[in-house]
mmCIF file of all heavy atoms in Angstrom:
data_model
loop_
_atom_site.group_PDB
_atom_site.id
_atom_site.type_symbol
_atom_site.label_atom_id
_atom_site.label_comp_id
_atom_site.label_asym_id
_atom_site.label_seq_id
_atom_site.Cartn_x
_atom_site.Cartn_y
_atom_site.Cartn_z
ATOM 1 N N ARG A 259 108.101 124.325 106.610
ATOM 2 C CA ARG A 259 109.055 124.690 105.604
ATOM 3 C C ARG A 259 109.706 126.010 105.982
ATOM 4 O O ARG A 259 110.941 126.160 105.944
ATOM 5 C CB ARG A 259 108.411 124.817 104.212
ATOM 6 C CG ARG A 259 109.336 125.308 103.133
ATOM 7 C CD ARG A 259 108.581 126.268 102.200
ATOM 8 N NE ARG A 259 109.467 126.807 101.215
ATOM 9 C CZ ARG A 259 109.863 128.073 101.210
ATOM 10 N NH1 ARG A 259 109.487 128.929 102.116
ATOM 11 N NH2 ARG A 259 110.687 128.519 100.256
ATOM 12 N N ASP A 260 108.894 127.009 106.420
ATOM 13 C CA ASP A 260 109.415 128.305 106.777
ATOM 14 C C ASP A 260 110.270 128.280 108.045
ATOM 15 O O ASP A 260 111.079 129.167 108.243
ATOM 16 C CB ASP A 260 108.271 129.314 106.909
ATOM 17 C CG ASP A 260 107.547 129.561 105.557
ATOM 18 O OD1 ASP A 260 108.099 129.197 104.524
ATOM 19 O OD2 ASP A 260 106.454 130.149 105.656
ATOM 20 N N LYS A 261 110.104 127.260 108.804
ATOM 21 C CA LYS A 261 111.015 127.042 109.984
ATOM 22 C C LYS A 261 112.265 126.290 109.639
ATOM 23 O O LYS A 261 113.030 125.862 110.515
ATOM 24 C CB LYS A 261 110.232 126.328 111.104
ATOM 25 C CG LYS A 261 109.131 127.132 111.752
ATOM 26 C CD LYS A 261 108.463 126.370 112.847
ATOM 27 C CE LYS A 261 107.378 127.210 113.507
ATOM 28 N NZ LYS A 261 106.673 126.507 114.577
ATOM 29 N N ASN A 262 112.467 126.055 108.360
ATOM 30 C CA ASN A 262 113.659 125.358 107.799
ATOM 31 C C ASN A 262 113.821 123.945 108.286
ATOM 32 O O ASN A 262 114.907 123.422 108.439
ATOM 33 C CB ASN A 262 114.946 126.187 108.094
ATOM 34 C CG ASN A 262 114.910 127.553 107.412
ATOM 35 O OD1 ASN A 262 114.576 127.585 106.223
ATOM 36 N ND2 ASN A 262 115.202 128.606 108.160
ATOM 37 N N ARG A 263 112.710 123.292 108.545
ATOM 38 C CA ARG A 263 112.736 121.876 108.924
ATOM 39 C C ARG A 263 112.901 120.987 107.717
ATOM 40 O O ARG A 263 113.419 119.885 107.789
ATOM 41 C CB ARG A 263 111.499 121.519 109.680
ATOM 42 C CG ARG A 263 111.486 122.260 111.057
ATOM 43 C CD ARG A 263 110.273 121.960 111.867
ATOM 44 N NE ARG A 263 110.462 122.482 113.179
ATOM 45 C CZ ARG A 263 109.495 122.827 113.983
ATOM 46 N NH1 ARG A 263 108.218 122.742 113.580
ATOM 47 N NH2 ARG A 263 109.755 123.262 115.192
ATOM 48 N N PHE A 264 112.459 121.488 106.559
ATOM 49 C CA PHE A 264 112.652 120.738 105.291
ATOM 50 C C PHE A 264 112.407 121.728 104.155
ATOM 51 O O PHE A 264 111.841 122.776 104.326
ATOM 52 C CB PHE A 264 111.654 119.559 105.143
ATOM 53 C CG PHE A 264 110.209 119.864 105.413
ATOM 54 C CD1 PHE A 264 109.431 120.505 104.462
ATOM 55 C CD2 PHE A 264 109.643 119.563 106.628
ATOM 56 C CE1 PHE A 264 108.093 120.796 104.664
ATOM 57 C CE2 PHE A 264 108.313 119.804 106.863
ATOM 58 C CZ PHE A 264 107.543 120.449 105.894
ATOM 59 N N GLN A 265 112.942 121.352 102.996
ATOM 60 C CA GLN A 265 112.628 122.082 101.784
ATOM 61 C C GLN A 265 111.410 121.400 101.226
ATOM 62 O O GLN A 265 111.286 120.171 101.225
ATOM 63 C CB GLN A 265 113.779 121.978 100.752
ATOM 64 C CG GLN A 265 115.012 122.753 101.192
ATOM 65 C CD GLN A 265 116.136 122.515 100.131
ATOM 66 O OE1 GLN A 265 115.969 121.975 99.087
ATOM 67 N NE2 GLN A 265 117.306 123.002 100.474
ATOM 68 N N LEU A 266 110.500 122.166 100.652
ATOM 69 C CA LEU A 266 109.273 121.678 100.068
ATOM 70 C C LEU A 266 109.299 121.884 98.621
ATOM 71 O O LEU A 266 109.282 123.058 98.117
ATOM 72 C CB LEU A 266 108.043 122.409 100.715
ATOM 73 C CG LEU A 266 106.642 122.012 100.237
ATOM 74 C CD1 LEU A 266 106.364 120.515 100.546
ATOM 75 C CD2 LEU A 266 105.612 122.874 100.923
ATOM 76 N N HIS A 267 109.411 120.827 97.835
ATOM 77 C CA HIS A 267 109.540 120.911 96.379
ATOM 78 C C HIS A 267 108.206 120.740 95.628
ATOM 79 O O HIS A 267 108.054 121.224 94.524
ATOM 80 C CB HIS A 267 110.544 119.846 95.888
ATOM 81 C CG HIS A 267 111.830 119.899 96.638
ATOM 82 N ND1 HIS A 267 112.724 120.953 96.475
ATOM 83 C CD2 HIS A 267 112.348 119.065 97.545
ATOM 84 C CE1 HIS A 267 113.772 120.714 97.320
ATOM 85 N NE2 HIS A 267 113.539 119.565 97.917
ATOM 86 N N ALA A 268 107.291 119.976 96.239
ATOM 87 C CA ALA A 268 105.969 119.761 95.574
ATOM 88 C C ALA A 268 105.038 119.137 96.581
ATOM 89 O O ALA A 268 105.451 118.554 97.617
ATOM 90 C CB ALA A 268 106.164 118.813 94.383
ATOM 91 N N PHE A 269 103.738 119.279 96.304
ATOM 92 C CA PHE A 269 102.738 118.642 97.144
ATOM 93 C C PHE A 269 101.400 118.621 96.407
ATOM 94 O O PHE A 269 101.181 119.470 95.513
ATOM 95 C CB PHE A 269 102.552 119.333 98.508
ATOM 96 C CG PHE A 269 101.937 120.677 98.431
ATOM 97 C CD1 PHE A 269 100.564 120.873 98.368
ATOM 98 C CD2 PHE A 269 102.766 121.823 98.422
ATOM 99 C CE1 PHE A 269 100.001 122.122 98.304
ATOM 100 C CE2 PHE A 269 102.184 123.118 98.353
ATOM 101 C CZ PHE A 269 100.833 123.275 98.277
ATOM 102 N N VAL A 270 100.550 117.726 96.747
ATOM 103 C CA VAL A 270 99.152 117.741 96.369
ATOM 104 C C VAL A 270 98.370 117.171 97.529
ATOM 105 O O VAL A 270 98.809 116.199 98.234
ATOM 106 C CB VAL A 270 98.914 116.948 95.091
ATOM 107 C CG1 VAL A 270 99.161 115.497 95.220
ATOM 108 C CG2 VAL A 270 97.466 117.190 94.573
ATOM 109 N N VAL A 271 97.257 117.787 97.855
ATOM 110 C CA VAL A 271 96.351 117.364 98.922
ATOM 111 C C VAL A 271 95.135 116.827 98.239
ATOM 112 O O VAL A 271 94.251 117.571 97.780
ATOM 113 C CB VAL A 271 95.998 118.477 99.896
ATOM 114 C CG1 VAL A 271 95.172 118.022 101.062
ATOM 115 C CG2 VAL A 271 97.294 119.157 100.401
ATOM 116 N N MET A 272 95.003 115.508 98.202
ATOM 117 C CA MET A 272 93.905 114.836 97.606
ATOM 118 C C MET A 272 92.803 114.584 98.726
ATOM 119 O O MET A 272 93.138 114.715 99.908
ATOM 120 C CB MET A 272 94.294 113.533 96.934
ATOM 121 C CG MET A 272 95.330 113.687 95.846
ATOM 122 S SD MET A 272 94.709 114.696 94.445
ATOM 123 C CE MET A 272 93.590 113.545 93.720
ATOM 124 N N PRO A 273 91.621 114.277 98.396
ATOM 125 C CA PRO A 273 90.614 114.047 99.424
ATOM 126 C C PRO A 273 91.000 113.045 100.473
ATOM 127 O O PRO A 273 90.676 113.254 101.674
ATOM 128 C CB PRO A 273 89.364 113.572 98.622
ATOM 129 C CG PRO A 273 89.556 114.196 97.291
ATOM 130 C CD PRO A 273 91.055 114.138 97.047
ATOM 131 N N ASP A 274 91.667 111.972 100.116
ATOM 132 C CA ASP A 274 91.959 110.910 101.131
ATOM 133 C C ASP A 274 93.457 110.634 101.316
ATOM 134 O O ASP A 274 93.824 109.637 101.942
ATOM 135 C CB ASP A 274 91.226 109.594 100.768
ATOM 136 C CG ASP A 274 91.619 109.065 99.460
ATOM 137 O OD1 ASP A 274 92.408 109.681 98.698
ATOM 138 O OD2 ASP A 274 91.154 107.920 99.126
ATOM 139 N N HIS A 275 94.328 111.438 100.737
ATOM 140 C CA HIS A 275 95.771 111.231 100.905
ATOM 141 C C HIS A 275 96.509 112.497 100.476
ATOM 142 O O HIS A 275 95.955 113.374 99.822
ATOM 143 C CB HIS A 275 96.290 110.008 100.156
ATOM 144 C CG HIS A 275 96.238 110.136 98.656
ATOM 145 N ND1 HIS A 275 95.038 110.034 97.937
ATOM 146 C CD2 HIS A 275 97.227 110.400 97.746
ATOM 147 C CE1 HIS A 275 95.348 110.169 96.654
ATOM 148 N NE2 HIS A 275 96.630 110.405 96.535
ATOM 149 N N VAL A 276 97.788 112.556 100.833
ATOM 150 C CA VAL A 276 98.637 113.657 100.405
ATOM 151 C C VAL A 276 99.937 113.082 99.850
ATOM 152 O O VAL A 276 100.384 112.017 100.258
ATOM 153 C CB VAL A 276 98.885 114.642 101.531
ATOM 154 C CG1 VAL A 276 97.630 115.317 102.008
ATOM 155 C CG2 VAL A 276 99.674 114.061 102.671
ATOM 156 N N HIS A 277 100.513 113.829 98.917
ATOM 157 C CA HIS A 277 101.842 113.505 98.427
ATOM 158 C C HIS A 277 102.694 114.743 98.657
ATOM 159 O O HIS A 277 102.244 115.844 98.389
ATOM 160 C CB HIS A 277 101.865 113.224 96.887
ATOM 161 C CG HIS A 277 101.078 112.028 96.457
ATOM 162 N ND1 HIS A 277 101.502 110.764 96.661
ATOM 163 C CD2 HIS A 277 99.920 111.929 95.821
ATOM 164 C CE1 HIS A 277 100.650 109.888 96.183
ATOM 165 N NE2 HIS A 277 99.615 110.612 95.633
ATOM 166 N N VAL A 278 103.887 114.555 99.170
ATOM 167 C CA VAL A 278 104.865 115.597 99.323
ATOM 168 C C VAL A 278 106.187 115.216 98.823
ATOM 169 O O VAL A 278 106.579 114.017 98.936
ATOM 170 C CB VAL A 278 104.939 116.149 100.807
ATOM 171 C CG1 VAL A 278 103.615 116.726 101.271
ATOM 172 C CG2 VAL A 278 105.401 115.052 101.718
ATOM 173 N N LEU A 279 106.929 116.171 98.294
ATOM 174 C CA LEU A 279 108.313 115.957 97.845
ATOM 175 C C LEU A 279 109.140 116.889 98.695
ATOM 176 O O LEU A 279 109.069 118.116 98.528
ATOM 177 C CB LEU A 279 108.408 116.260 96.359
ATOM 178 C CG LEU A 279 109.723 115.954 95.639
ATOM 179 C CD1 LEU A 279 110.082 114.448 95.744
ATOM 180 C CD2 LEU A 279 109.620 116.378 94.156
ATOM 181 N N ILE A 280 109.945 116.305 99.644
ATOM 182 C CA ILE A 280 110.716 117.145 100.550
ATOM 183 C C ILE A 280 112.152 116.713 100.632
ATOM 184 O O ILE A 280 112.489 115.591 100.360
ATOM 185 C CB ILE A 280 110.116 117.126 101.984
ATOM 186 C CG1 ILE A 280 110.143 115.674 102.555
ATOM 187 C CG2 ILE A 280 108.681 117.692 102.000
ATOM 188 C CD1 ILE A 280 109.786 115.632 104.038
ATOM 189 N N THR A 281 112.947 117.628 101.047
ATOM 190 C CA THR A 281 114.322 117.399 101.463
ATOM 191 C C THR A 281 114.487 117.830 102.912
ATOM 192 O O THR A 281 114.463 118.999 103.205
ATOM 193 C CB THR A 281 115.383 118.191 100.596
ATOM 194 O OG1 THR A 281 115.127 117.842 99.217
ATOM 195 C CG2 THR A 281 116.792 117.885 100.980
ATOM 196 N N PRO A 282 114.597 116.842 103.815
ATOM 197 C CA PRO A 282 114.738 117.231 105.232
ATOM 198 C C PRO A 282 115.998 118.071 105.427
ATOM 199 O O PRO A 282 117.011 117.817 104.771
ATOM 200 C CB PRO A 282 114.821 115.921 105.944
ATOM 201 C CG PRO A 282 114.144 114.901 105.032
ATOM 202 C CD PRO A 282 114.467 115.434 103.668
ATOM 203 N N ALA A 283 115.952 118.970 106.418
ATOM 204 C CA ALA A 283 117.146 119.706 106.788
ATOM 205 C C ALA A 283 118.201 118.733 107.321
ATOM 206 O O ALA A 283 117.876 117.609 107.728
ATOM 207 C CB ALA A 283 116.799 120.736 107.875
ATOM 208 N N THR A 284 119.451 119.116 107.265
ATOM 209 C CA THR A 284 120.504 118.180 107.688
ATOM 210 C C THR A 284 120.398 117.707 109.093
ATOM 211 O O THR A 284 120.897 116.679 109.450
ATOM 212 C CB THR A 284 121.918 118.798 107.429
ATOM 213 O OG1 THR A 284 122.002 120.081 108.116
ATOM 214 C CG2 THR A 284 122.168 119.011 105.950
ATOM 215 N N ASP A 285 119.707 118.469 109.938
ATOM 216 C CA ASP A 285 119.549 118.094 111.371
ATOM 217 C C ASP A 285 118.211 117.423 111.663
ATOM 218 O O ASP A 285 117.823 117.294 112.823
ATOM 219 C CB ASP A 285 119.792 119.283 112.277
ATOM 220 C CG ASP A 285 118.741 120.369 112.120
ATOM 221 O OD1 ASP A 285 118.058 120.422 111.044
ATOM 222 O OD2 ASP A 285 118.640 121.223 113.032
ATOM 223 N N GLN A 286 117.467 117.065 110.575
ATOM 224 C CA GLN A 286 116.188 116.448 110.769
ATOM 225 C C GLN A 286 116.130 115.045 110.038
ATOM 226 O O GLN A 286 116.587 114.964 108.905
ATOM 227 C CB GLN A 286 115.061 117.354 110.161
ATOM 228 C CG GLN A 286 114.975 118.725 110.750
ATOM 229 C CD GLN A 286 114.502 118.682 112.171
ATOM 230 O OE1 GLN A 286 113.666 117.863 112.581
ATOM 231 N NE2 GLN A 286 114.974 119.637 112.953
ATOM 232 N N SER A 287 115.521 114.104 110.695
ATOM 233 C CA SER A 287 115.240 112.787 110.031
ATOM 234 C C SER A 287 113.977 112.896 109.235
ATOM 235 O O SER A 287 113.169 113.806 109.443
ATOM 236 C CB SER A 287 115.140 111.729 111.106
ATOM 237 O OG SER A 287 113.928 111.866 111.840
ATOM 238 N N THR A 288 113.824 111.990 108.313
ATOM 239 C CA THR A 288 112.581 111.937 107.515
ATOM 240 C C THR A 288 111.406 111.700 108.474
ATOM 241 O O THR A 288 110.337 112.333 108.344
ATOM 242 C CB THR A 288 112.609 110.835 106.466
ATOM 243 O OG1 THR A 288 113.840 111.035 105.744
ATOM 244 C CG2 THR A 288 111.483 110.872 105.542
ATOM 245 N N ALA A 289 111.575 110.742 109.410
ATOM 246 C CA ALA A 289 110.484 110.488 110.350
ATOM 247 C C ALA A 289 110.073 111.702 111.142
ATOM 248 O O ALA A 289 108.906 111.896 111.421
ATOM 249 C CB ALA A 289 110.917 109.330 111.297
ATOM 250 N N LYS A 290 111.057 112.484 111.540
ATOM 251 C CA LYS A 290 110.734 113.734 112.342
ATOM 252 C C LYS A 290 109.947 114.747 111.430
ATOM 253 O O LYS A 290 109.018 115.352 111.934
ATOM 254 C CB LYS A 290 112.029 114.352 112.828
ATOM 255 C CG LYS A 290 111.776 115.473 113.809
ATOM 256 C CD LYS A 290 111.158 115.025 115.083
ATOM 257 C CE LYS A 290 111.069 116.103 116.097
ATOM 258 N NZ LYS A 290 110.320 115.677 117.302
ATOM 259 N N CYS A 291 110.307 114.782 110.173
ATOM 260 C CA CYS A 291 109.587 115.716 109.275
ATOM 261 C C CYS A 291 108.139 115.248 109.109
ATOM 262 O O CYS A 291 107.227 116.089 109.112
ATOM 263 C CB CYS A 291 110.295 115.744 107.899
ATOM 264 S SG CYS A 291 111.877 116.677 107.986
ATOM 265 N N ILE A 292 107.964 113.941 109.014
ATOM 266 C CA ILE A 292 106.574 113.423 108.914
ATOM 267 C C ILE A 292 105.813 113.707 110.224
ATOM 268 O O ILE A 292 104.652 114.058 110.186
ATOM 269 C CB ILE A 292 106.583 111.903 108.634
ATOM 270 C CG1 ILE A 292 107.288 111.640 107.308
ATOM 271 C CG2 ILE A 292 105.169 111.338 108.582
ATOM 272 C CD1 ILE A 292 106.716 112.348 106.120
ATOM 273 N N GLN A 293 106.500 113.594 111.319
ATOM 274 C CA GLN A 293 105.861 113.921 112.619
ATOM 275 C C GLN A 293 105.432 115.405 112.644
ATOM 276 O O GLN A 293 104.319 115.713 113.127
ATOM 277 C CB GLN A 293 106.813 113.624 113.767
ATOM 278 C CG GLN A 293 106.255 113.844 115.127
ATOM 279 C CD GLN A 293 107.271 113.517 116.268
ATOM 280 O OE1 GLN A 293 108.334 113.018 116.010
ATOM 281 N NE2 GLN A 293 106.873 113.849 117.442
ATOM 282 N N TYR A 294 106.302 116.295 112.158
ATOM 283 C CA TYR A 294 105.897 117.689 112.125
ATOM 284 C C TYR A 294 104.723 117.880 111.245
ATOM 285 O O TYR A 294 103.750 118.611 111.618
ATOM 286 C CB TYR A 294 107.054 118.554 111.495
ATOM 287 C CG TYR A 294 108.232 118.719 112.350
ATOM 288 C CD1 TYR A 294 109.512 118.551 111.836
ATOM 289 C CD2 TYR A 294 108.170 119.109 113.702
ATOM 290 C CE1 TYR A 294 110.663 118.711 112.610
ATOM 291 C CE2 TYR A 294 109.249 119.270 114.508
ATOM 292 C CZ TYR A 294 110.528 119.082 113.945
ATOM 293 O OH TYR A 294 111.604 119.280 114.731
ATOM 294 N N ILE A 295 104.636 117.206 110.097
ATOM 295 C CA ILE A 295 103.527 117.370 109.151
ATOM 296 C C ILE A 295 102.247 116.767 109.727
ATOM 297 O O ILE A 295 101.231 117.489 109.818
ATOM 298 C CB ILE A 295 103.883 116.714 107.777
ATOM 299 C CG1 ILE A 295 105.043 117.497 107.103
ATOM 300 C CG2 ILE A 295 102.667 116.661 106.855
ATOM 301 C CD1 ILE A 295 105.652 116.768 105.902
ATOM 302 N N LYS A 296 102.292 115.452 110.069
ATOM 303 C CA LYS A 296 101.070 114.846 110.567
ATOM 304 C C LYS A 296 100.648 115.402 111.936
ATOM 305 O O LYS A 296 99.480 115.766 112.136
ATOM 306 C CB LYS A 296 101.297 113.329 110.677
ATOM 307 C CG LYS A 296 101.328 112.612 109.348
ATOM 308 C CD LYS A 296 101.703 111.130 109.466
ATOM 309 C CE LYS A 296 100.638 110.312 109.981
ATOM 310 N NZ LYS A 296 101.011 108.829 109.894
ATOM 311 N N GLY A 297 101.574 115.495 112.852
ATOM 312 C CA GLY A 297 101.255 116.005 114.187
ATOM 313 C C GLY A 297 100.865 117.449 114.200
ATOM 314 O O GLY A 297 99.946 117.854 114.874
ATOM 315 N N GLY A 298 101.611 118.240 113.394
ATOM 316 C CA GLY A 298 101.271 119.664 113.341
ATOM 317 C C GLY A 298 99.884 119.892 112.775
ATOM 318 O O GLY A 298 99.170 120.731 113.301
ATOM 319 N N TYR A 299 99.538 119.180 111.733
ATOM 320 C CA TYR A 299 98.171 119.298 111.198
ATOM 321 C C TYR A 299 97.141 118.820 112.204
ATOM 322 O O TYR A 299 96.131 119.502 112.390
ATOM 323 C CB TYR A 299 98.022 118.550 109.851
ATOM 324 C CG TYR A 299 96.606 118.646 109.399
ATOM 325 C CD1 TYR A 299 96.124 119.799 108.878
ATOM 326 C CD2 TYR A 299 95.731 117.583 109.601
ATOM 327 C CE1 TYR A 299 94.801 119.932 108.525
ATOM 328 C CE2 TYR A 299 94.423 117.686 109.250
ATOM 329 C CZ TYR A 299 93.918 118.841 108.680
ATOM 330 O OH TYR A 299 92.595 118.955 108.361
ATOM 331 N N SER A 300 97.380 117.627 112.781
ATOM 332 C CA SER A 300 96.396 117.097 113.721
ATOM 333 C C SER A 300 96.097 118.073 114.893
ATOM 334 O O SER A 300 94.985 118.272 115.283
ATOM 335 C CB SER A 300 96.872 115.758 114.267
ATOM 336 O OG SER A 300 96.939 114.799 113.263
ATOM 337 N N PHE A 301 97.217 118.673 115.395
ATOM 338 C CA PHE A 301 97.058 119.604 116.469
ATOM 339 C C PHE A 301 96.209 120.809 116.016
ATOM 340 O O PHE A 301 95.308 121.270 116.721
ATOM 341 C CB PHE A 301 98.430 120.078 116.949
ATOM 342 C CG PHE A 301 98.361 121.046 118.102
ATOM 343 C CD1 PHE A 301 98.147 120.595 119.399
ATOM 344 C CD2 PHE A 301 98.531 122.379 117.900
ATOM 345 C CE1 PHE A 301 98.044 121.482 120.479
ATOM 346 C CE2 PHE A 301 98.452 123.293 118.970
ATOM 347 C CZ PHE A 301 98.219 122.839 120.221
ATOM 348 N N ALA A 302 96.535 121.341 114.867
ATOM 349 C CA ALA A 302 95.794 122.515 114.354
ATOM 350 C C ALA A 302 94.371 122.210 114.010
ATOM 351 O O ALA A 302 93.495 123.060 114.145
ATOM 352 C CB ALA A 302 96.504 123.083 113.100
#
């Protein structure tokens, strides 16, 4: 979010799933934002 890849409006991290409410930046696809989220977390 701080890298301006998407606006983050809401989230909850449940034990076995997550919900996020986002608005991708105009130069980002939804799929790319999901890649940032899932891939970024997996890497970390």
Side-chain angles (χ1 to χ4, degrees):
R259 175 218 177 252
D260 293 346
K261 290 181 179 179
N262 296 314
R263 292 177 168 155
F264 51 78
Q265 292 177 8
L266 180 62
H267 309 290
F269 67 85
V270 65
V271 183
M272 300 299 288
D274 63 354
H275 68 283
V276 298
H277 296 286
V278 295
L279 186 60
I280 64 170
T281 301
T284 55
D285 64 342
Q286 300 292 328
S287 68
T288 308
K290 188 66 174 175
C291 290
I292 300 304
Q293 183 180 353
Y294 289 133
I295 293 168
K296 288 173 74 172
Y299 174 76
S300 295
F301 181 79

